Amino acid sequence: MTNEGAIWVVGGPNYGLRAEGMGGQYLEGDTIVNTVINKGTIYVLGNGDKTTQIKAMGSNPGARAENQGEIVVDGGYGIVVNSGSGIHEAVNSEAGTIRVTNGGYGMYFDKDLASSSWVTMSNAGEIYANGENSHGVYLGSDKNNFTFHNTGLIESADGANAITVGSGTFTISLEDESNINGKVVANSSTTTIKAVNNEDAFTLDAAKLAALELTNSSLTLEGDQTTGTTIGALSIDKDSGLVINGNRDILVETNLTNTGSISVNHLSVDGGLFNNQGIINVQTLDLYGNANDKGEIARQINASEKITYRGIDGNLL
């Protein structure tokens, strides 16, 4: 089914709690059997309230929902991964544009599905979120673990978030021409951010990340985090560079592996593996010894203030 015209989806207290502009047939299983495509324009008018489900497009089990046109969301939802035990695909294609205002959501996933491997969610087009409580992409589920792939533009302004992880275990994969112009908020400590063949800079709001991995990428993270950011595992390959600006202390819990470059004000590695064969630029570096630490304190470390090593009883090597 393809839309090449205009669809209006209107809902809220005065119009009903649920409405969907386009959605494929509900067929549980591990195969995509139908596709709904928007090549026209879908207008969504909701009330910015999660108690209502006013959607432009729904990805049901066995269905692919793909936007190749324009979705305009005012207080509702753009593309939503719906509930059900079966494969889901939700895609904003290279030709697709989603515009979100008034507490709306561009792409949305907040369901406890039977199998996380059945979810494909990606953006190759453009998503614009504007205003308080608006989200370009929202991920939130305590029972799922899948990767959101971005190769397009996600832009947020005036209090909106480009990407929000509300809860659950998710990977945000920023690939190739991915461009995040705004804020990424990770309220879940089991969020992983990966950058692959990518160069970008954005604001990060995260008290804790499960992992941060850069492969052939240059990533700059902006913004203050007065409580600091804890990262489970930090991995920078030889063709990558990480710059963290702002008032933010970084604590790495399990391992830091760097063969590229890292620039941050204050960096601590708390008893995990520290393996540096690249370049680290810091004001202060704190290393806490661990009996299982076989990493190398090597190559180049530039500290403008101090390096502190806290050893343990016995031999490290």
Side-chain angles (χ1 to χ4, degrees), residues 168-232:
T169 302
F170 294 98
T171 297
I172 300 170
S173 184
L174 310 174
E175 305 160 9
D176 302 324
E177 300 301 316
S178 171
N179 182 6
I180 306 299
N181 187 6
K183 181 186 288 188
V184 174
V185 177
N187 292 322
S188 172
S189 62
T190 49
T191 301
T192 294
I193 297 177
K194 293 183 178 181
V196 181
N197 302 322
N198 179 244
E199 182 176 352
D200 203 1
F202 56 85
T203 299
L204 176 67
D205 182 348
K208 186 173 183 179
L209 296 174
L212 177 59
E213 304 173 9
L214 272 63
T215 304
N216 191 33
S217 296
S218 177
L219 191 62
T220 299
L221 302 179
E222 306 283 358
D224 295 337
Q225 193 92 34
T226 57
T227 58
T229 297
T230 299
I231 302 173

Side-chain angles (χ1 to χ4, degrees), residues 270-285:
D270 189 5
L273 173 69
F274 178 81
N275 191 338
N276 179 56
Q277 298 181 46
I279 300 172
I280 297 178
N281 298 306
V282 293
Q283 291 181 14
T284 63
L285 174 63

Side-chain angles (χ1 to χ4, degrees), residues 1 16 31 137 144 147 151 180 188 232 234 245 250 288 294 300:
M1 180 170 65
T31 304
V137 175
N144 289 274
T147 299
T151 56
I180 306 299
S188 172
L234 177 60
N245 293 324
I250 299 297
Y288 296 78
K294 305 297 182 181
Q300 183 176 336

Side-chain angles (χ1 to χ4, degrees), residues 103-158:
Y105 302 82
M107 301 187 74
Y108 184 84
F109 177 84
D110 191 15
K111 297 293 184 182
D112 295 333
L113 303 182
S115 173
S116 58
S117 63
W118 287 349
V119 178
T120 297
M121 191 173 180
S122 62
N123 171 55
E126 298 178 351
I127 301 176
Y128 301 92
N130 189 271
E132 294 288 340
N133 300 316
S134 295
H135 306 264
V137 175
Y138 183 92
L139 307 171
S141 174
D142 292 330
K143 296 183 180 179
N144 289 274
N145 180 355
F146 76 89
T147 299
F148 168 74
H149 297 271
N150 188 64
T151 56
L153 168 68
I154 307 176
E155 182 172 297
S156 62
D158 297 332

